Amino acid sequence: MQILVFPERKSLSLHAAKMFAAQIEAVPESVLGLATGSTPLGLYQELALQHREGLNLSGVTTFNLDEYVGIDPDHEASFNQFMKTNLFQHVNIPAAQTDIPRGHAGDLAAECSRYEQAIRNAGGIDLQLLGIGHNGHIGFNEPNTPFETVTHVVTLAAKTRVANARYFGAEPSQVPEKAISAGIKTIMQAKKIILLAAGEDKAETVAAAVEGPVTTSLPASVLQLHPQVWFLLDTDAAGKLSSNNPDLLRA
Ligand code: PGA
C-alpha cells in the first residue's frame, strides 16, 4: 500500500488524473472501474481537460461501482446521470463501452450476474477508483459485507442515506433503500486500486482502514490485502494517521 498526502484537494485530483492518464496512455484499451460521489469530481474535471488537450479515451471500457435500485437511469440523482454530467459528456468513451449496474432491471439477481460476467468478459478491471464512506464502505459495500461478495443487491446503511440525501432534496427518506454494488471480491480482483479521500470528516475512517485490523466491520480495511493500492489523501483526511506509518509519503 502507498499513501500519498497532498496539501489540498486540487493537487490530489491532479495526481489521480495523472495516474489515470498514464494507465490509458500505456494501455489504450484499459478497463477502468469508476466511482461517484463528491471526491472524484476534481479528477473527472481534470480528465476532461486532458481530453481536450489530446488524451484519447476511445479505447477505454468503464464499469461503475454502483447504482440505486428502483430509479430510472434518467433520474437526476442516478449515478448514470452523474457519470454523464461529470465525465462521459466531456470525453470520447463510446457509450457502448460504459456499463453501470441497471438498478431499474426487473430481475435484480440476473442483473447482478450479468454485471459480474460483463466485467470478466472485458478481461477484468485494470484500474479501480474508490471513494470511502464515513462507515468505511467501498462501493456500496456496507459494514459486515463478507469479503467474498461479488456484485449484489445491498440495503443502504442509514448513515449512507443521510450522506447522500444532498442529491435527493436533502431528504434521507427520498434516498432509495437499496442499490446494486460491485462486491468486495469484485473490487479486490482489480489489478490496481486508487482510493481518494478528502476532508477531516474522513480522517478517522481512513486511519482505521489503513492502520487498524482487517475486518468486515470496516470494509475498506480489506484493501490492506491488495498488492497494488494507493490511498491519495488531502492533509485533512490524513490527519489521524500515525506519523511513523511506513507507507506514508507527503507530496
Ligand atoms: P463522497 O462519497 O466522495 O461523496 O464522500 C464517498 C463514498 O461514499 O464512497
Side-chain angles (χ1 to χ4, degrees):
M1 169 178 297
Q2 285 191 42
I3 306 166
L4 304 179
V5 182
F6 298 87
E8 19 70 23
R9 266 173 204 253
K10 175 82 182 163
S11 46
L12 179 160
S13 300
L14 275 175
H15 192 88
K18 269 191 203 151
M19 291 179 78
F20 271 85
Q23 171 70 36
I24 295 162
E25 277 161 359
V27 183
E29 281 80 37
S30 287
V31 179
L32 305 180
L34 300 180
T36 53
S38 50
T39 320
L41 286 174
L43 157 64
Y44 292 153
Q45 280 163 13
E46 188 55 30
L47 277 179
L49 185 67
Q50 293 202 19
H51 170 62
R52 288 199 292 281
E53 290 171 352
L55 180 68
N56 180 10
L57 292 94
S58 64
V60 162
T61 297
T62 68
F63 289 94
N64 264 77
L65 282 167
D66 40 25
E67 178 59 285
Y68 295 110
V69 162
I71 63 173
D72 194 86
D74 293 332
H75 188 291
E76 59 179 7
S78 75
F79 291 156
N80 265 274
Q81 280 307 310
F82 178 99
M83 291 310 299
K84 278 187 193 150
T85 308
N86 294 300
L87 183 66
F88 296 153
Q89 280 174 358
H90 309 288
V91 295
N92 65 333
I93 307 171
Q97 289 163 217
T98 65
D99 205 344
I100 298 181
R102 297 172 189 159
H104 58 298
D107 183 342
L108 294 174
E111 171 56 14
C112 291
S113 306
R114 179 201 72 78
Y115 201 68
E116 191 69 26
Q117 194 55 47
I119 295 173
R120 299 279 78 76
N121 292 347
I125 289 171
D126 294 307
L127 182 57
Q128 174 70 55
L129 176 66
L130 296 176
I132 183 169
H134 296 110
N135 61 5
H137 75 202
I138 46 175
F140 270 145
N141 294 288
E142 303 287 24
N144 303 317
T145 303
F147 289 165
E148 282 307 301
T149 312
V150 293
T151 302
H152 60 141
V153 176
V154 301
T155 299
L156 298 177
K159 217 172 176 178
T160 301
R161 292 178 75 210
V162 169
N164 288 7
R166 64 194 194 274
Y167 300 109
F168 291 87
E171 188 37 72
S173 66
Q174 296 301 307
V175 180
E177 290 173 13
K178 291 184 187 293
I180 294 180
S181 179
I184 293 187
K185 184 172 176 184
T186 320
I187 292 169
M188 288 294 280
Q189 283 173 339
K191 295 180 189 81
K192 290 182 268 183
I193 299 177
I194 297 177
L195 182 144
L196 307 182
E200 203 181 346
D201 54 314
K202 297 283 174 76
E204 208 163 304
T205 312
V206 165
V210 303
E211 293 176 351
V214 175
T215 165
T216 55
S217 59
L218 196 90
S221 66
V222 74
L223 298 170
Q224 293 179 34
L225 306 178
H226 194 282
Q228 286 205 79
V229 57
W230 290 261
F231 273 64
L232 306 190
L233 310 173
D234 72 353
T235 313
D236 290 340
K240 296 237 159 89
L241 289 176
S242 114
S243 53
N244 53 13
N245 185 313
D247 299 319
L248 199 151
L249 279 174
R250 289 189 188 270

